[in-house]
Amino acid sequence: MPETVTFLIAPLTADAPAVDLDSTFHAVDASEPALRVGELSTQRGDGIFETLAVVDGHAQEAEAHLERLRNSAQICELPEPNLAQWRAAIAAAVSQLPASGEFALKLVLSRGVEHGPAPTAWLAASRAADRTAEREHGIRIVSLDRGLAHDAAAKAPWLLLGAKTLSYATNMAAIREAKRRGADDALFVSSDGYVMEGPTSSVILRHGDVYSTPEPNGAILRGTTQQSLFEFLERDGHATEYRDIPVAELATADAIWLVSSVRLAAGVTALDGTAVPFDAAETRRFNDYLLSPRD
């Protein structure tokens, strides 16, 4: 079976009548051109996306990702996506992928072509990079100032901070800066001294038996993997909380994780060059759960 699947999608309106949904998207060769030069996703990063994991033939947390896609569309004033259409495209893509292994499946909704039809959309799936070492041995991170206060979203909603947009140049620059400093990844902190998120991940801290993550107040992206882990922890009798976390609390945490859909849970072993307690057993427990089929 192919290890890459790419569909171009003709987006339906959210209230479109039921149709043969499979007829609204078609496969294309991922190695061949498929977008117009006037496409605003490539010209301006004007669009939104989601990346979900496919593990052993199962699309993980698909509904949570679709709901976040719809929320991002609302924030960015894009047409509301037809979630039934996207579900059908995900199912068709997964059916064409190998039944074993880990894959990354990306959904993209763009504002469209400049002076032309809008919106445009596509799906692309490919084998995920091997994240075994990061899951088993942890990662070193550095804290980087995001240049915004932790309540910036309320004061400047046009920054689109709560949406998963295609404008990821800053996020990628942060990861390059982390590597220049001898680390594996970065953790954004606000200009007024609060923990935020990683460039491509959410952060979880443990103090004693309490697990916390920054309050999703619009300045950070609500994490699907983090939410799933909190549900898992709560079912196991652990306390979880969403709150504003001062940067100083990073130094007192009993463990820190960066979590995301494809890498899953990576325990932090060092922050800004200082060792952080690494709980290998709990990280393994997290990843065993995250690799299990989850809807």
Side-chain angles (χ1 to χ4, degrees), residues 193-211:
Y194 290 91
V195 178
M196 299 190 79
E197 60 189 344
T200 62
S201 60
S202 303
V203 60
I204 296 174
L205 283 69
R206 190 187 79 215
H207 289 85
D209 195 39
V210 179
Y211 299 78

Side-chain angles (χ1 to χ4, degrees), residues 1-7 25-28 89-99 103 125:
M1 300 185 78
E3 293 201 344
T4 62
V5 176
T6 306
F7 294 155
F25 50 84
H26 65 277
V28 296
I90 291 170
V94 171
S95 72
Q96 295 183 28
L97 292 170
F103 295 82

Side-chain angles (χ1 to χ4, degrees), residues 112-239:
V113 178
E114 190 167 23
H115 310 305
T120 56
W122 64 94
L123 172 157
S126 59
R127 185 170 290 278
D130 184 358
R131 302 288 193 170
T132 304
E134 295 164 276
R135 296 171 187 170
E136 293 183 354
H137 305 297
I139 55 174
R140 301 158 299 167
I141 67 173
V142 293
S143 58
L144 298 178
D145 191 336
R146 193 170 181 181
L148 298 167
H150 78 292
D151 59 354
K155 297 178 178 177
W158 51 86
L159 295 176
L160 309 178
L161 296 175
K164 194 172 179 69
T165 73
L166 293 168
S167 302
Y168 255 49
T170 297
N171 303 59
M172 298 300 100
I175 293 175
R176 292 194 297 272
E177 178 62 24
K179 294 183 183 300
R180 275 193 289 270
R181 299 187 188 192
D184 305 299
D185 207 336
L187 176 62
F188 285 131
V189 299
S190 69
S191 59
D192 54 349
Y194 290 91
V195 178
M196 299 190 79
E197 60 189 344
T200 62
S201 60
S202 303
V203 60
I204 296 174
L205 283 69
R206 190 187 79 215
H207 289 85
D209 195 39
V210 179
Y211 299 78
S212 58
T213 197
E215 178 71 32
N217 57 12
I220 63 173
L221 188 69
R222 188 178 289 272
T224 57
T225 305
Q226 169 269 312
Q227 290 178 80
S228 185
L229 270 176
F230 270 26
E231 292 169 3
F232 169 71
L233 288 164
E234 290 160 6
R235 288 195 298 269
D236 209 28
H238 298 285

Side-chain angles (χ1 to χ4, degrees), residues 58-76:
H58 187 270
Q60 304 283 64
E61 306 283 357
E63 286 304 309
H65 283 282
L66 288 173
E67 286 299 327
R68 193 168 65 178
L69 186 77
R70 177 158 58 185
N71 183 62
S72 293
Q74 182 179 23
I75 293 171
C76 295

